[in-house]
Amino acid sequence: MKLGTAIAEIMKREGIEILTGYPVNHLIEYAANADIRPVMVRQERIGVHMADAISRVTSGRSIGAFCMQHGPGAENAMGGVAQCYGESVPVLVLPMGYARRLANIDPNFNSSQAMKAFSKSSEPINIAAEVCNIFRRAFTKLKNGRGGPVIVEIPADMWNEEVPEPLNYTPVLRTRYGADPVHVKEAAALLVNAKRPVIYAGQGVHYAQAWPQLKRLAERLAIPVTTSLGGKSSFPETHPLSLGSGGLAVPRAVPKFLGDADVIFGIGCSFTETSFGIAMPKGKTIIHATLDPNHINKDVEAKIGLVGDAGLVLDALLEEIGKTVTSDRKASAVAEEIAASHKEWLAKWMPKLTHNEAPLNPYRVLWDLQHTVDIHNTIITHDAGSPRDQLSPFWKSVEPLSYIGWGKTTQLGYGLGLAMGAKLAKPDKLCINVWGDAAIGFTGMDFETAVRERIPIMSILLNNFSMAIELKVMPISTEKYRSTDISGDYAAMARAFGGYGERVTKPEDIIPAIKRGIQKTREGVPVLLEFITSKETEVSRPGT
């Protein structure tokens, strides 16, 4: 069989049902012939973002896949691939490459070499007979250990090569590993005897699908729980022990309880130091449970390291703790303390959350959104900057994998592709992205992709007609030359593309517009709701 037929068959056997891409890459046709749905994007980065979301919202059980043309197509995709690497997301990336005789000739772009620095593995197909071995290695990397993108480059002169039949490929195994029992015992003793412990849950809990174990541990020892943005929705934020999630902006309870903690238990997290994550206070006793041993002592000093799958680690801890703590500890005192902190914090922000004047306050828009949608049946994500900081502290996720968060380097316009990928993977969910007028300038053309590919997402645009805020770091440019001012009627753009677009300027129109948008998505129509907002600059930082 031809190489493309063999690759498509391998992908099919591995359960891939959707291939996002940008032509020309001949794999698109081979995949379509194998009943793998091709989804074509306007630019490569969006295609990687869609594949990213497919992997995320399925805990990596369905692997997102993306292909693109050689040269400029591969170059344009690099930002999305780097994002997957920074956020540990397993995505199969299948660039075309220059013909083998040219692949290593400067200045030709060689994907398997150029992307090696930010991929879990990277390999070209140079011999057709090796295709099964190459993909066996690729999918083993994708299914096991810490996630990350895997590159398989297909040189342009390989498509007519023949692969020996029958195709010798069986879907690869998925296996897990757990922590050292000695260290589990030590960690259990620390948690049992801690006076003010806090659990910090990362996205490793999502990939391990360890949500029940996390909840049982918190309830057994009455431990407050906070999450990274990537780990948000791993613990129900309506639970009495929930402190909320943390990024650059956080609920007040998060820094308060972390600051008062004697033991911090990080589960399924890297503790990577970033401006967009929770800063861990110094001088705390830290138990670090992570899938990757390279993360131990990378950014914080750990007293105990538990290397392994978050589910296996939590199972082992619960079993060890159960030897001495046989029933749930009374949580009323700590729950009351958490509730009091939340109440005091929300009271300060309620004027913004219920602001009733025009221009609209973005906090009011997102507050009304949260209280209008069926939050149990919603997957939401944000973009970089203000939308992230205005959404993440206040949005209460209650179902696992209902919030796609990230906490490291990110390109503007990321959220649109995430919402579309989430909708492809979970068609019964209402999938929402929240972004600003700066972000839509990067990837807004791909709203047309949502229309053309019949992906009925709801896009919430907070438009303050400037690049997020009046940039304090650019006072002369902003005030003298108005360099950050942006104009545009994005609701009209959505209508021009064939979707539903509505511009909202009055507070009383927010909820009716959201309800109309929800109905349109049920009818299969992509929606863009453009809210004209104030240049809100305050965010809920630690201590506010």
Side-chain angles (χ1 to χ4, degrees), residues 476-504:
I476 297 174
S477 300
T478 296
E479 295 167 17
K480 185 177 180 180
Y481 294 104
R482 313 304 297 171
S483 294
T484 62
D485 279 8
I486 302 174
S487 61
D489 187 337
Y490 302 107
M493 179 199 79
R495 295 192 296 272
F497 284 148
Y500 179 81
E502 183 174 348
R503 174 175 275 193
V504 181

Side-chain angles (χ1 to χ4, degrees), residues 310-437:
L312 293 178
V313 169
L314 287 168
D315 285 339
L317 276 173
L318 285 163
E319 182 179 355
E320 187 63 35
I321 289 166
K323 295 175 182 178
T324 54
V325 182
T326 57
S327 60
D328 291 353
R329 286 179 172 172
K330 189 175 180 180
S332 56
V334 68
E336 288 172 7
E337 187 180 355
I338 293 169
S341 180
H342 285 330
K343 183 178 180 180
E344 181 185 5
W345 168 68
L346 269 178
K348 176 186 184 275
W349 285 91
M350 200 54 69
K352 294 180 183 294
L353 296 167
T354 58
H355 189 267
N356 203 36
E357 298 176 11
L360 305 175
N361 191 298
Y363 286 101
R364 167 68 187 273
V365 174
L366 299 176
W367 186 254
D368 282 358
L369 178 69
Q370 180 173 187
H371 292 90
T372 304
V373 303
D374 176 6
I375 204 160
H376 290 271
N377 197 47
T378 296
I379 298 174
I380 193 165
T381 189
H382 49 74
D383 226 277
S386 298
R388 173 196 61 228
D389 303 332
Q390 291 159 349
L391 178 71
S392 60
F394 300 98
W395 187 276
K396 290 186 178 293
S397 298
V398 294
E399 296 290 339
L401 300 172
S402 63
Y403 189 103
I404 307 176
W406 38 262
K408 304 183 186 74
T409 176
T410 305
Q411 313 99 41
L412 279 169
Y414 184 37
L416 177 64
L418 289 180
M420 289 195 288
K423 187 66 177 178
L424 287 170
K426 302 289 183 180
D428 294 333
K429 300 287 186 180
L430 172 64
C431 296
I432 303 172
N433 75 295
V434 179
W435 53 350
D437 52 316

Side-chain angles (χ1 to χ4, degrees), residues 105-360:
I105 305 300
D106 186 69
N108 294 336
F109 185 85
N110 186 309
S111 293
S112 57
Q113 291 180 9
M115 298 184 188
K116 194 169 188 176
F118 46 89
S119 63
K120 195 171 180 184
S121 71
S122 184
E123 188 173 358
I125 303 174
N126 289 325
I127 302 172
E130 284 296 302
V131 68
C132 291
N133 290 330
I134 290 169
F135 276 93
R136 193 173 290 113
R137 288 190 287 270
F139 277 101
T140 299
K141 293 281 189 181
L142 289 164
K143 289 184 173 184
N144 296 280
R146 179 167 67 94
V150 168
I151 316 299
V152 177
E153 187 175 24
I154 310 165
D157 62 336
M158 287 294 300
W159 296 106
N160 287 320
E161 297 285 324
E162 293 287 337
V163 176
E165 297 188 63
L167 193 66
N168 180 25
Y169 189 89
T170 302
V172 303
L173 58 82
R174 188 186 297 272
T175 189
R176 300 184 296 164
Y177 49 89
D180 187 327
V182 173
H183 297 152
V184 169
K185 188 172 183 177
E186 293 171 351
L190 260 180
L191 289 171
V192 167
N193 295 309
K195 301 300 182 186
R196 289 187 65 89
V198 172
I199 296 172
Y200 174 64
Q203 70 169 348
V205 176
H206 285 314
Y207 282 105
Q209 298 184 338
W211 316 295
Q213 297 99 308
L214 175 62
K215 187 168 178 282
R216 284 203 298 273
L217 176 61
E219 292 175 345
R220 177 52 52 100
L221 297 182
I223 304 178
V225 179
T226 184
T227 73
S228 66
L229 288 185
K232 190 175 171 74
S233 80
S234 62
F235 190 79
E237 293 180 306
T238 51
H239 193 284
L241 291 172
S242 173
L243 302 173
S245 66
L248 181 65
V250 295
R252 183 182 292 178
V254 173
K256 178 185 184 300
F257 276 79
L258 285 173
D260 292 342
D262 56 345
V263 174
I264 298 173
F265 172 42
I267 176 70
C269 67
S270 65
F271 278 125
T272 296
E273 187 175 340
T274 168
S275 300
F276 309 111
I278 300 173
M280 290 296 141
K282 305 295 183 184
K284 304 297 179 181
T285 297
I286 290 180
I287 304 168
H288 191 178
T290 175
L291 198 56
D292 189 344
N294 293 320
H295 285 160
I296 300 290
N297 287 325
K298 179 172 69 72
D299 292 291
V300 300
E301 182 179 352
K303 183 176 180 64
I304 299 173
L306 303 174
V307 178
D309 172 85
L312 293 178
V313 169
L314 287 168
D315 285 339
L317 276 173
L318 285 163
E319 182 179 355
E320 187 63 35
I321 289 166
K323 295 175 182 178
T324 54
V325 182
T326 57
S327 60
D328 291 353
R329 286 179 172 172
K330 189 175 180 180
S332 56
V334 68
E336 288 172 7
E337 187 180 355
I338 293 169
S341 180
H342 285 330
K343 183 178 180 180
E344 181 185 5
W345 168 68
L346 269 178
K348 176 186 184 275
W349 285 91
M350 200 54 69
K352 294 180 183 294
L353 296 167
T354 58
H355 189 267
N356 203 36
E357 298 176 11
L360 305 175

